[in-house]
Amino acid sequence: MRVPQEQESRFHGSQPNRGTYIELAQAQANHRPQLLRATTDVGPRSQSPNAVSSTPEEDGNWELRHGWEGEYNSEEYLNKLNSAFYMYYTDKRHETGGKPKSRSELEEGPGSWRVQSRVKTVFAGLMLCLNIGVDPPDIVKTNPTSTLEAWIDPVSPSSPNSKMMESIGKSLQAHYETLSIRIRYKQFLDPSVDEVRKCCVTLRRNAKDERVLFHYNGHGVPLPTPSGEIWYFNRNYTQYIPVSLYDLQAWLGGPSIYVLDASHAGNVIANFGRFIEKHENESAELLDKDPNAVVLSYADNILLAACGRDELLPTNPDLPADLFTSSLTTPVAISLRCFFLQSQLAQELTLKDLDKVPGKLQERRTPLGELNWIFTAITDTIAWNCLPRGTFKKLFRQDLMVAALFRNYLLADRLMRQNGCHPETEPALPPTHEHPLWQSWDLALEMVLTQLPELIVCEEGGPHYEYKHSSFFAEQLTAFEVYLSQGALERKAPDQLPIVLQVLLSQVHRLRALILLSRFLDLGPWAVKLALNIGIFPYVLKLLQSAAIELKPVLIFIWARILAVDNSCQNDLIRDNGYKYFLGTIQPEQGIPVANHSEHKAMAAFIIAMFCKDFHQAKMVSLSRELFQACIGHLSDRENPLLRQWCCLCISTLWKDFPEAKWTGTQDSTHQILCQMVLDPVPEVRAAAIHALTTFLGYSDITEQVSQTEQAIATALMMMTSDGDSMVRNELLVFFSTFIKRYETKFLVTAYEELVEEQHRLQEPAILEVEINRRSALQFGRSTVSNQQSAKRDYVSRNSVHATMWKHVLILTLDPHADVAQNATVVADYVNAKLLVSPLRDHTRVIMDDLLRLGTKAVQSRPPSPTPLPRLTDVPINPAETSSKKNDKSFTGGLSRTASAILNSLVFHSSASQENPAPQNSPPKPSSDSIRNGTRVRTRVPDDWSRPPDANDPMQQPSAYEKAKEPLPRGFEEQDNPISTFDGAIGESENCPVPLKSTFFEWSTEYFREPQMKTSEPDEPGSDDYNSKQWRRSRNEKTIMLTQPLKNLAGSNKWDRPNGFFHNGSQPRQLCFHQFEDHLAVADGKDSICIWNWQHKRRLNRFSHGNPIGSRIDEIRFINEDDQALLLVGSSDGVIKVYRDYDEPDKIEIVSAFRGLTDLIPSTKNVGLVLDWQQSQGKLLVSGDVKVIRVWNAATEICTSELPSRSSSCITALTSDQVAGNIFVAGFGNGKIQVFDQREKPATSMVKRYSNHKQWITNVHMQRGGVRELISGARNGEIKLWDIRMSDEIRTISATKTTLRTLSVHEHAPVFATGSESHRVSIFNTNGAFLNSIEPSYSLLSTRSHPVAATAFHPHHMMLACSSLHDPNVNLFSCQDKRHIVQEF
């Protein structure tokens, strides 16, 4: 399947396209900058000003081969190449191993934002002890003195004192009602002690467990005593009666809030805790005596005192006598008065004019309302910045009355300090009176007062005056934007966050505030939790009722971030019908006013998925055919894989444990459409589709129709066992385990019959001979005994879905990825364990014991045969046989597995016979080319001609081989086998390991917890990653500039200057240089790889590839070499692995592991696996002992095409054009060379065939740079140069008269090197001139010269590495001439 180019741009990079509504925020999400392509990768071109110049004589004829001169050097084409250059295997699924973060990482930041125990203030007692006209005996008032109480002057000659007291009481209650109108207030004017007692007891009885407000104004009674007593009157008002705090607490209980407006009020706070402790001790003693006794609670009390223990209240005649109470109840009015008295505005205004500020406190567009709005924002912000988070939540978010009082208390603290008093609170608060935001409050007051004269004139009927609103909120939003632009490096809460919360109340600034808030939430879970702690949730919940379409993108973004961090909002969305907002948004016809609307559709799908996750009520209200149809429609959106992924997961959460949703989905064939998603080019989408289909399983009644539907789904998913992404295979195993658990009985029968069949296979003599004879007999129409016996066996599970799935599970137990193999092993062991406690247990135990005995015997009785069997790939097979047996071969293929206990005895049991070379006198094998019209034609080609050059090499002794450590994937945790006992309760307990638990949904959710707007760290100028990347780019360009002028000299001078050697520790078989790092990868003939620093001759790392015994490493490549390279390794069992941090022993990890070829026979003698990596296209060409060439796409991690080789021989070498990547060339064991064009259909992809070589192609290579020379070498030593436009070779060179063991071509210089059977490496230029020959070092104890085992050129430097057989040393040689060394290190 070919992926469209526009689609590839969505997921080729290391990060997916994460655009949001950034157009609204005027901040664009930047992609990772494209890495510059190496200059020589695209041929000669005009040099940059800094490039090293060379003369035309040095350049020579630079016309490219194959007709690519004009195309590859055009600016349009080069720009296209540079714009499509990506790094691979660097996506999130590779960085995380497809596993979600731990809960500890998610829980960083503030704790739970919800108020756990919300206590409300429901009743209030207002105690006013003024005794108007009579001064207390212990207070001497100044003259003049302050008189206003609740903004009313009690001294009025026209009104009696009783009327004035009533007016003051009503005024005070009215002021409290502006704070909270829901509280029931009770006034007590100059009360007696009995009235106070009755009042307090009544308030507590009515309030029950809620909070009671106790306001005490003691301006007309004596000062509180040092022990905390406060004063009241007797009935006749002839005496002052003290009331102990102990008694007051006994009457009022808790929770309560005390407001104490009296001189020496600090005495109350100083003694309050002592009496509370006494009450609690008494209650504890009472409960000890009588556990059923009713005791009063005394906890959770709050106190606000006007001054300290020895302080008197201010007596300024221009200020109210109850300055503290006025600050708590009328903060705007008292602020205007205090600021006016300190300002220079007295010439234009009077104190009475301050009462004429127009507007209402609740109307934010009026001057008075705007001041109140600004005041709320400022005090909230000061409290947020100064108070501990727990104290802030308790005082400012639990109770509206408490929050209003403490908000106003911050002002009271400032004003009282200006007048010589120091208010106190319990709990104590840090000082806030000098916070810089108070200056902003003074500025807001000044702006209103300067406009007040014109406003008064306008209100009295004068000329119209347009009020100039404060710029406070706009300036604070700008400050918040500056904070966001700096990146919030320290994860510190921004000072302006509470102000942003207040701005959401204004339609003028709402959109801008929401955009800035979304940018803040995008910083990560810590930012989301801060916003929730500040109280953002009720605001964004209420905004879901808004019909403003311009708010839709930003609200969707904000809700996605909230639900990604805290999924406890499901009940809130149901209670307020907020979920309907997102159900409407996901509909295709609903427009979103933003460019990347599909990304917001994906967010809406995510929100619905999180809303329905494990919440049945949410599923019920969300269920509709319209939702399913919308999700199905979005699955065809090829532009946004995130939308497809979350539509699948949205369906998955609806289906989970909800049969009604499954029935609704089947009405629109949702399950069938999801089955088609197995071919989606994005691994995350494929995994999401499997996740959804897994939840689809589980109808309570397994009817015939249900069974057929589920089996059809299972059949559709079988092909995904060969998926290249381990995350997809893991998700597939979850589906398999769910299906197996559901049809457990049938799988027990299937597993039993598989054991029986394995027993029969092991009991047959000469297993491999029988199989070869059978396949040969089928070719000529004959039958065999084995075939006849097999036909007699008729298994119940044969050709069933259950048998096919079981074989896939067995294959996955040997998956190259450790996570997949471990999970598959759990499933297989579970079935086998259940089999051992089933009615078949006795038969099963006998068969298992027999298998263990036969497997051990087969391993121990393998004599080294001097005449081993020929390779299976050399035996022609009837095409019909191949077609009918293809699936069966992919199921078994030497990978049969019965149980974990006998795994080691059965794996690759047929490969041992491959370890010795075929005899020289064996007859040649018939091929399809030698059969004409059903008549066999005798071949005259000697057998040696089609054999590998190393076919006669003896094997390395296992005793001399040291096993290296095998790297593991990131996050892999080896688990103990959960099936530890075989008892009858297995599978019935809650801890049953089957079905497997998927973590894909949690992993996918992390996308919405990660920053999407900010520039990634490697792209942020000044960051360590950015600086490292820039350094690497500079180094790469410097390497190219230093080496390019030397390539012509390399073609005319000798390559005989030794550059040292190093001892590899094992036989080097594969060598590969890194383009820019000083790294040389060396693979031996088994499974170990060494990474060397060739400059310092120091080994950096040694690790095992993990390929099984009897196989070898065939290919090693560096990928992503322009930046941080990865190491790609392929072995002869068809497995390909990609390693990260390959040069660091403690950090090396497997990035990806998959089976590139599924039907290879593991052996050290066949060609095994050959591959070629195309960095420009992100494609991996894989072939070998098969009849096809598979093209794997590194971005999609699937085999996008399978091209027939059009030859009966195996493929021995692959090379391709590294620029455009459309053309590649394959060499074959019969000497053929074929040219393929990937742009053609598979059937016509072979565009040219050369038959000039007659023997095994040792190697064929097309230069990455230079003139793109295409050079091939055959076993007999013939070297040919090709131009694919021509029908014959350009030049033929005889490199050696012995067997050609290796052929290496320099990527840029016009030279190539050959390694021969006679221990000689010969270097030629492309004109055919012999430059020199060298001999790798060998052991002094050796009696003869050994063949050359491996050669490799450095891609840029003029350096050659080589090694010989039976010698662990790797030798380095460089080029030199008479004048200077053609190399700089």
Side-chain angles (χ1 to χ4, degrees):
M1 182 185 65
R2 183 173 176 82
V3 183
Q5 183 176 358
E6 60 272 17
Q7 165 111 7
E8 292 182 356
S9 64
R10 298 289 294 169
F11 49 77
H12 270 194
S14 60
Q15 297 287 343
N17 184 6
R18 295 175 163 181
T20 54
Y21 52 88
I22 305 170
E23 292 85 354
L24 297 173
Q26 297 180 354
Q28 298 181 350
N30 298 323
H31 291 292
R32 178 174 294 186
Q34 307 297 334
L35 288 167
L36 296 178
R37 186 184 300 277
T39 307
T40 54
D41 282 357
V42 291
R45 69 184 77 172
S46 57
Q47 294 181 341
S48 62
N50 296 328
V52 179
S53 61
S54 60
T55 63
E57 292 77 14
E58 291 174 329
D59 288 341
N61 182 12
W62 276 109
E63 180 180 355
L64 294 183
R65 301 287 191 198
H66 322 299
W68 294 338
E69 175 71 27
E71 180 183 8
Y72 285 4
N73 284 334
S74 65
E75 284 299 322
E76 179 182 358
Y77 190 77
L78 295 179
N79 290 336
K80 179 182 178 181
L81 289 177
N82 284 330
S83 65
F85 197 71
Y86 296 94
M87 299 292 102
Y88 299 94
Y89 297 105
T90 56
D91 291 330
K92 180 191 172 185
R93 63 181 181 273
H94 304 118
E95 298 292 337
T96 62
K99 295 186 177 181
K101 296 179 180 178
S102 62
R103 295 297 304 176
S104 59
E105 296 180 60
L106 178 59
E107 292 171 358
E108 62 182 0
S112 175
W113 56 274
R114 290 187 182 272
V115 179
Q116 302 300 327
S117 58
R118 185 180 293 275
V119 180
K120 298 180 180 179
T121 303
V122 293
F123 286 93
L126 307 181
M127 310 288 180
L128 298 179
C129 302
L130 298 181
N131 198 12
I132 298 175
V134 180
D135 292 337
D138 54 355
I139 294 180
V140 179
K141 294 186 177 180
T142 60
N143 190 13
T145 188
S146 56
T147 58
L148 295 179
E149 298 283 353
W151 296 100
I152 294 178
D153 191 349
V155 181
S156 176
S158 59
S159 298
N161 292 344
S162 60
K163 293 292 183 180
M164 297 307 301
M165 280 294 296
E166 291 179 3
S167 299
I168 292 173
K170 290 180 180 179
S171 177
L172 179 61
Q173 180 174 336
H175 294 159
Y176 265 111
E177 287 175 346
T178 61
L179 304 182
S180 179
I181 198 173
R182 297 182 179 180
I183 296 178
R184 301 178 67 177
Y185 296 92
K186 182 67 175 177
Q187 302 174 27
F188 296 92
L189 309 178
D190 291 337
S192 65
V193 174
D194 293 337
E195 292 174 334
V196 171
R197 179 179 57 80
K198 292 179 181 179
C199 161
C200 293
V201 172
T202 302
L203 290 175
R204 174 46 57 199
R205 182 174 61 251
N206 294 336
K208 298 181 180 178
D209 295 330
E210 302 292 346
R211 181 174 281 113
V212 173
L213 170 63
F214 180 84
H215 179 94
Y216 175 75
N217 184 325
H219 295 177
V221 293
L223 303 175
T225 65
S227 61
E229 297 170 313
I230 56 177
W231 298 85
Y232 290 97
F233 305 97
N234 63 1
R235 289 186 177 182
N236 300 324
Y237 296 96
T238 58
Q239 290 182 342
Y240 299 110
I241 308 297
V243 175
S244 169
L245 274 180
Y246 179 85
D247 295 334
L248 185 62
Q249 293 169 352
W251 301 337
L252 203 57
S256 301
I257 178 170
Y258 298 82
V259 178
L260 307 172
D261 191 346
S263 298
H264 291 198
N267 287 326
V268 178
I269 291 182
N271 294 277
F272 194 86
R274 177 166 56 91
F275 290 109
I276 288 290
E277 184 178 356
K278 184 176 180 182
H279 278 296
E280 291 178 344
N281 292 335
E282 292 174 352
S283 298
E285 293 176 0
L286 182 60
L287 289 175
D288 289 340
K289 296 178 180 179
D290 183 7
N292 298 322
V294 179
V295 296
L296 199 62
S297 172
Y298 299 97
D300 198 15
N301 293 293
I302 299 173
L303 289 85
L304 301 175
C307 59
R309 303 186 63 172
D310 301 320
E311 293 177 343
L312 299 176
L313 297 179
T315 57
N316 187 340
D318 293 327
L319 296 176
D322 59 347
L323 176 60
F324 185 68
T325 299
S326 298
S327 301
L328 294 179
T329 56
T330 57
V332 175
I334 193 64
S335 294
L336 286 169
R337 179 175 287 255
C338 291
F339 182 80
F340 174 78
L341 294 175
Q342 296 176 1
S343 67
Q344 306 297 324
L345 301 174
Q347 299 177 355
E348 302 178 7
L349 299 171
T350 64
L351 287 175
K352 293 182 178 181
D353 291 335
L354 301 181
D355 300 330
K356 299 179 181 179
V357 177
K360 297 181 180 179
L361 292 175
Q362 294 77 19
E363 298 176 359
R364 288 185 290 272
R365 298 300 296 169
T366 64
L368 193 60
E370 185 179 63
L371 279 178
N372 187 57
W373 185 26
I374 294 174
F375 175 78
T376 302
I378 287 177
T379 50
D380 247 18
T381 304
I382 292 176
W384 169 257
N385 293 327
C386 297
L387 270 60
R389 292 289 176 260
T391 304
F392 176 84
K393 185 186 298 184
K394 176 182 178 181
L395 301 181
F396 286 80
R397 291 297 179 262
Q398 287 190 0
D399 185 354
L400 291 178
M401 173 57 79
V402 173
L405 286 175
F406 269 93
R407 193 180 297 117
N408 299 342
Y409 171 80
L410 300 182
L411 174 68
D413 180 59
R414 184 188 188 217
L415 298 182
M416 296 296 288
R417 286 174 183 271
Q418 291 176 356
N419 289 274
C421 293
H422 297 80
E424 297 180 3
T425 62
E426 177 61 40
L429 301 183
T432 60
H433 60 285
E434 294 182 344
H435 196 279
L437 274 178
W438 286 122
Q439 299 178 12
S440 299
W441 175 236
D442 293 340
L443 178 61
L445 296 171
E446 184 178 8
M447 290 184 65
V448 172
L449 291 178
T450 53
Q451 300 179 75
L452 186 57
E454 289 81 1
L455 292 172
I456 294 176
V457 172
C458 179
E459 290 288 327
E460 294 175 352
H464 174 73
Y465 179 78
E466 186 69 27
Y467 173 69
K468 298 178 182 177
H469 292 278
S470 172
S471 59
F472 170 78
F473 289 106
E475 293 170 352
Q476 293 299 318
L477 289 180
T478 302
F480 188 48
E481 191 170 7
V482 172
Y483 164 84
L484 293 174
S485 65
Q486 294 177 350
L489 299 178
E490 298 181 357
R491 294 192 175 185
K492 180 183 177 182
D495 296 344
Q496 300 81 14
L497 192 57
I499 297 176
V500 176
L501 182 68
Q502 290 295 321
V503 175
L504 295 180
L505 301 173
S506 169
Q507 292 186 354
V508 177
H509 304 290
R510 180 175 295 161
L511 180 58
R512 184 187 178 195
L514 283 173
I515 292 173
L516 293 177
L517 176 62
S518 63
R519 290 177 58 187
F520 176 69
L521 299 182
D522 186 62
L523 296 176
W526 67 273
V528 175
K529 291 185 177 182
L530 279 176
L532 291 174
N533 274 274
I534 196 63
I536 202 74
F537 184 76
Y539 293 81
V540 295
L541 182 63
K542 188 175 182 180
L543 284 175
L544 293 180
Q545 312 300 325
S546 173
I549 192 171
E550 67 273 8
L551 299 182
K552 184 168 290 188
V554 64
L555 282 176
I556 292 173
F557 185 93
I558 289 174
W559 270 96
R561 265 56 192 174
I562 291 176
L563 286 172
V565 174
D566 192 337
N567 197 29
S568 65
C569 311
Q570 295 165 312
N571 283 316
D572 302 279
L573 288 173
I574 283 187
R575 183 173 58 251
D576 297 332
N577 292 326
Y579 68 94
K580 295 181 179 179
Y581 191 87
F582 307 106
L583 288 177
T585 301
I586 200 175
Q587 298 299 323
E589 64 274 8
Q590 286 287 333
I592 301 178
V594 68
N596 53 342
H597 60 89
S598 62
E599 186 110 4
H600 287 76
K601 296 279 186 182
M603 295 181 199
F606 163 73
I607 293 170
I608 298 172
M610 295 297 291
F611 173 60
C612 296
K613 184 175 183 291
D614 302 326
F615 190 34
H616 185 72
Q617 190 176 355
K619 297 177 183 179
M620 293 181 62
V621 299
S622 302
L623 179 60
S624 66
R625 285 193 66 180
E626 290 75 13
L627 177 58
F628 276 97
Q629 291 169 355
C631 291
I632 292 172
H634 291 314
L635 291 180
S636 59
D637 185 345
R638 313 311 298 174
E639 296 296 323
N640 195 324
L642 186 67
L643 177 57
R644 303 198 301 276
Q645 175 185 349
W646 276 105
C647 282
C648 291
L649 293 176
C650 180
I651 294 173
S652 176
T653 55
L654 276 171
W655 275 348
K656 186 177 181 181
D657 302 326
F658 194 30
E660 291 83 354
K662 297 176 184 178
W663 172 248
T664 304
T666 55
Q667 293 178 354
D668 294 298
S669 302
T670 306
H671 59 291
Q672 297 178 5
I673 297 173
L674 287 172
C675 288
Q676 299 172 7
M677 302 303 292
V678 298
L679 297 177
D680 194 277
V682 180
E684 289 84 351
V685 179
R686 301 198 297 273
I690 300 176
H691 190 280
L693 291 171
T694 303
T695 58
F696 182 77
L697 303 177
Y699 275 102
S700 56
D701 298 329
I702 306 180
T703 63
E704 185 66 24
Q705 181 182 1
V706 170
S707 178
Q708 290 178 0
T709 301
E710 293 181 346
Q711 289 186 38
I713 294 173
T715 302
L717 296 185
M718 293 295 183
M719 63 179 294
M720 302 191 73
T721 54
S722 61
D723 196 288
D725 188 85
S726 61
M727 184 175 63
V728 175
R729 301 198 300 276
N730 262 322
E731 202 61 31
L732 181 64
L733 271 173
V734 176
F735 175 89
F736 283 173
S737 65
T738 306
F739 192 88
I740 289 172
K741 182 70 174 178
R742 184 164 171 78
Y743 299 94
E744 187 173 287
T745 303
K746 293 185 178 180
F747 277 96
L748 292 179
V749 175
T750 301
Y752 175 77
E753 293 181 345
E754 180 67 23
L755 288 173
V756 173
E757 186 174 356
E758 182 71 18
Q759 183 188 33
H760 290 158
R761 283 199 298 265
L762 286 178
Q763 287 175 344
E764 293 175 359
I767 303 169
L768 195 56
E769 290 89 339
V770 171
E771 178 68 6
I772 293 176
N773 293 335
R774 183 181 69 85
R775 294 171 64 180
S776 300
L778 288 173
Q779 173 69 28
F780 303 107
R782 296 198 302 269
S783 175
T784 63
V785 176
S786 177
N787 192 40
Q788 294 171 355
Q789 292 177 350
S790 178
K792 293 179 181 179
R793 305 188 192 111
D794 187 14
Y795 297 119
V796 176
S797 63
R798 183 179 297 278
N799 298 326
S800 68
V801 174
H802 311 90
T804 305
M805 182 179 292
W806 179 241
K807 289 181 179 180
H808 276 304
V809 171
L810 295 180
I811 292 172
L812 289 173
T813 59
L814 298 172
D815 193 90
H817 197 278
D819 275 322
V820 180
Q822 180 170 263
N823 290 334
T825 301
V826 170
V827 178
D829 286 349
Y830 169 80
V831 175
N832 285 315
K834 291 289 289 185
L835 192 58
L836 287 169
V837 294
S838 70
L840 296 171
R841 56 182 175 271
D842 294 335
H843 301 284
T844 302
R845 291 185 184 276
V846 172
I847 294 174
M848 282 191 173
D849 292 341
D850 197 25
L851 285 173
L852 186 59
R853 177 182 56 80
L854 291 172
T856 305
K857 182 179 179 181
V859 172
Q860 294 175 351
S861 62
R862 289 176 184 164
S865 173
T867 57
L869 295 164
R871 296 193 302 272
L872 293 180
T873 52
D874 289 340
V875 181
I877 304 173
N878 189 301
E881 160 79 356
T882 304
S883 176
S884 63
K885 295 293 181 179
K886 178 177 180 182
N887 288 336
D888 186 63
K889 181 166 62 174
S890 66
F891 295 154
T892 55
L895 299 178
S896 293
R897 181 186 188 280
T898 54
S900 296
I902 59 174
L903 174 63
N904 294 331
S905 300
L906 301 179
V907 175
F908 300 140
H909 57 267
S910 63
S911 64
S913 59
Q914 309 286 334
E915 295 182 0
N916 293 296
Q920 301 291 332
N921 55 358
S922 59
K925 308 301 180 297
S927 66
S928 59
D929 292 341
S930 62
I931 300 177
R932 303 288 190 272
N933 299 323
T935 302
R936 297 184 60 198
V937 178
R938 180 178 299 177
T939 176
R940 298 180 180 178
V941 177
D943 183 57
D944 283 351
W945 288 18
S946 59
R947 291 172 54 80
D950 58 352
N952 297 323
D953 291 351
M955 290 295 299
Q956 181 178 350
Q957 294 301 323
S959 59
Y961 192 76
E962 179 184 356
K963 185 74 172 179
K965 182 180 179 181
E966 184 176 350
L968 296 171
R970 176 169 294 182
F972 174 76
E973 296 180 0
E974 188 171 357
Q975 302 175 358
D976 295 334
N977 192 342
I979 314 297
S980 56
T981 59
F982 303 141
D983 55 22
I986 187 169
E988 309 300 332
S989 66
E990 295 181 356
N991 297 324
C992 177
V994 174
L996 300 173
K997 305 299 186 295
S998 172
T999 58
F1000 177 73
F1001 188 94
E1002 289 72 19
W1003 180 84
S1004 300
T1005 302
E1006 291 181 355
Y1007 174 87
F1008 296 100
R1009 298 180 189 137
E1010 299 166 350
Q1012 311 297 332
M1013 299 185 190
K1014 64 177 292 188
T1015 306
S1016 61
E1017 189 71 13
D1019 303 327
E1020 185 69 37
S1023 67
D1024 291 341
D1025 290 346
Y1026 180 87
N1027 292 339
S1028 298
K1029 179 178 288 187
Q1030 293 299 314
W1031 178 86
R1032 284 191 292 269
R1033 290 181 180 178
S1034 176
R1035 176 206 59 188
N1036 298 352
E1037 293 300 322
K1038 181 179 179 181
T1039 300
I1040 294 172
M1041 287 193 300
L1042 288 176
T1043 57
Q1044 283 302 298
L1046 307 176
K1047 60 185 181 182
N1048 284 335
L1049 294 174
S1052 58
N1053 292 277
K1054 293 184 177 182
W1055 288 67
D1056 56 0
R1057 179 178 181 268
N1059 273 91
F1061 67 94
F1062 47 83
H1063 191 283
N1064 188 60
S1066 58
Q1067 173 64 62
R1069 283 286 189 174
Q1070 300 290 333
L1071 304 174
C1072 184
F1073 281 98
H1074 191 291
Q1075 284 197 63
F1076 304 108
E1077 299 283 355
D1078 297 334
H1079 293 167
L1080 173 62
V1082 182
D1084 63 16
K1086 289 185 176 291
D1087 68 342
S1088 69
I1089 301 171
C1090 294
I1091 307 298
W1092 288 86
N1093 182 310
W1094 55 264
Q1095 286 275 29
H1096 301 95
K1097 313 301 183 294
R1098 179 170 58 90
R1099 192 174 76 181
L1100 304 177
N1101 192 13
R1102 180 177 183 266
F1103 60 93
S1104 171
H1105 181 60
N1107 46 293
I1109 297 174
S1111 63
R1112 66 171 185 269
I1113 297 173
D1114 282 333
E1115 299 280 359
I1116 49 177
R1117 296 285 192 279
F1118 288 103
I1119 66 176
N1120 300 348
E1121 293 176 275
D1122 285 316
D1123 195 49
Q1124 292 180 318
L1126 305 174
L1127 185 66
L1128 184 146
V1129 182
S1131 52
S1132 61
D1133 60 343
V1135 168
I1136 297 172
K1137 295 183 181 180
V1138 181
Y1139 298 93
R1140 177 197 298 113
D1141 297 322
Y1142 56 85
D1143 58 327
E1144 300 187 44
D1146 297 331
K1147 297 177 63 177
I1148 184 171
E1149 296 172 335
I1150 292 179
V1151 179
S1152 178
F1154 61 97
R1155 201 171 293 278
L1157 294 176
T1158 56
D1159 44 8
L1160 278 178
I1161 296 178
S1163 171
T1164 59
K1165 296 307 175 186
N1166 300 340
V1167 66
L1169 176 142
V1170 294
L1171 60 81
D1172 191 47
W1173 166 252
Q1174 297 178 333
Q1175 181 73 40
S1176 61
Q1177 296 292 314
K1179 292 180 180 179
L1180 184 66
L1181 309 176
V1182 185
S1183 189
D1185 282 317
V1186 290
K1187 304 299 187 244
V1188 295
I1189 302 168
R1190 290 186 175 178
V1191 181
W1192 288 86
N1193 191 311
T1196 63
E1197 298 194 69
I1198 56 176
C1199 179
T1200 55
S1201 61
E1202 193 171 272
L1203 310 179
S1205 65
R1206 304 281 296 275
S1207 175
S1208 61
S1209 180
C1210 60
I1211 298 176
T1212 63
L1214 284 172
T1215 187
S1216 62
D1217 168 30
Q1218 291 292 325
V1219 182
N1222 297 319
I1223 303 296
F1224 70 89
V1225 181
F1228 291 82
N1230 58 8
K1232 300 291 191 298
I1233 293 178
Q1234 296 178 180
V1235 182
F1236 295 83
D1237 191 340
Q1238 297 187 62
R1239 294 167 294 188
E1240 300 289 333
K1241 294 180 181 180
T1244 60
S1245 58
M1246 193 198 76
V1247 295
K1248 189 176 287 291
R1249 173 183 289 168
Y1250 297 106
S1251 301
N1252 304 51
H1253 286 295
K1254 302 302 179 184
Q1255 295 193 24
W1256 180 286
I1257 300 298
T1258 301
N1259 193 17
V1260 58
H1261 186 84
M1262 181 181 292
Q1263 283 185 312
R1264 180 182 303 175
V1267 296
R1268 303 293 193 270
E1269 291 283 11
L1270 176 60
I1271 304 176
S1272 65
R1275 173 191 170 102
N1276 61 357
E1278 278 189 349
I1279 307 295
K1280 295 182 182 293
L1281 279 68
W1282 307 90
D1283 190 314
I1284 62 175
R1285 295 171 295 178
M1286 302 179 182
S1287 58
D1288 288 312
E1289 70 271 21
I1290 301 174
R1291 184 176 294 108
T1292 299
I1293 305 169
S1294 179
T1296 180
K1297 294 181 180 181
T1298 61
T1299 302
L1300 181 70
R1301 301 291 297 244
T1302 67
L1303 169 64
S1304 299
V1305 183
H1306 198 283
E1307 295 290 0
H1308 304 289
V1311 295
F1312 62 89
T1314 62
S1316 68
E1317 192 82 18
S1318 58
H1319 194 71
R1320 187 177 300 275
V1321 177
S1322 301
I1323 297 93
F1324 299 82
N1325 65 21
T1326 53
N1327 291 327
F1330 173 76
L1331 299 181
N1332 68 283
S1333 64
I1334 53 179
E1335 292 187 0
S1337 62
Y1338 57 90
S1339 174
L1340 295 177
L1341 300 178
S1342 178
T1343 58
R1344 63 181 180 87
S1345 298
H1346 297 297
V1348 174
T1351 57
F1353 279 105
H1354 191 285
H1356 292 291
H1357 293 297
M1358 304 306 138
M1359 173 170 286
L1360 174 67
C1362 57
S1363 65
S1364 60
L1365 198 62
H1366 303 299
D1367 189 352
N1369 293 319
V1370 176
N1371 298 264
L1372 302 179
F1373 295 91
S1374 60
C1375 180
Q1376 65 178 344
D1377 64 3
K1378 298 178 180 179
R1379 295 171 296 176
H1380 59 277
I1381 305 299
V1382 188
Q1383 185 63 53
E1384 295 184 15
F1385 300 114

